[in-house]
Amino acid sequence: QLALVETGGGLVQAGGSLRLACAFSLRTTSDYGTAWFRQAPGKEREFVARITWRDGLRNYAKSAEGRFTVSRDIAKNAVFLEMNSLEPEDTAVYYCAVDDSLELHTIPTAYHYWGPGTQVTVFS
């Protein structure tokens, strides 16, 4: 079974930046979707960004467009989420997820593999 671990969360002042990393191992010529979700207390888990492993095709939620950048490093077996201009509304637990479908999925139930999450807290 595929295992994922997120790192890079923490406290950051509003307007600052963080870079999250998700480490996992894939040995395949097929393309996979690697996605970031987040969940704030009392709210549903929501889609943030996605990148395909082989071709590096990206998709973003409107809340992330223009501020966040998702990328991957095949040699390091990792995907990243660079978050800039952070706002208190970005405070949440951020999760990495992997799906073997090439379709763009923005709901959590479509993903088969999840990391334990990393906390991001943005303060004013």
Side-chain angles (χ1 to χ4, degrees):
Q1 295 291 322
L2 179 65
L4 305 86
V5 178
E6 303 96 338
T7 58
L11 293 169
V12 63
Q13 191 171 13
S17 301
L18 284 175
R19 192 174 82 149
L20 308 181
C22 175
F24 63 97
S25 181
L26 283 176
R27 300 291 184 181
T28 179
T29 58
S30 300
D31 208 358
Y32 290 80
T34 61
W36 290 95
F37 289 79
R38 67 186 184 186
Q39 186 168 21
K43 298 184 181 296
E44 295 183 349
R45 190 169 299 185
E46 65 174 344
F47 171 78
V48 178
R50 183 178 186 267
I51 186 169
T52 60
W53 185 251
R54 186 188 65 193
D55 296 328
L57 302 177
R58 299 180 176 93
N59 297 98
Y60 296 96
K62 287 188 176 181
S63 60
E65 185 74 32
R67 297 190 300 130
F68 296 0
T69 301
V70 63
S71 61
R72 86 273 195 262
D73 189 328
I74 296 177
K76 294 183 178 180
N77 294 323
V79 296
F80 305 92
L81 183 68
E82 182 182 356
M83 303 185 293
N84 300 311
S85 301
L86 284 164
E87 305 169 353
E89 291 75 16
D90 296 313
T91 296
V93 176
Y94 283 71
Y95 298 91
C96 182
V98 173
D99 186 28
D100 59 359
S101 174
L102 291 178
E103 298 181 30
L104 187 273
H105 298 295
T106 60
I107 56 175
T109 53
Y111 291 81
H112 303 296
Y113 305 98
W114 293 85
T118 185
Q119 176 71 48
V120 172
T121 302
V122 185
F123 62 93
S124 300

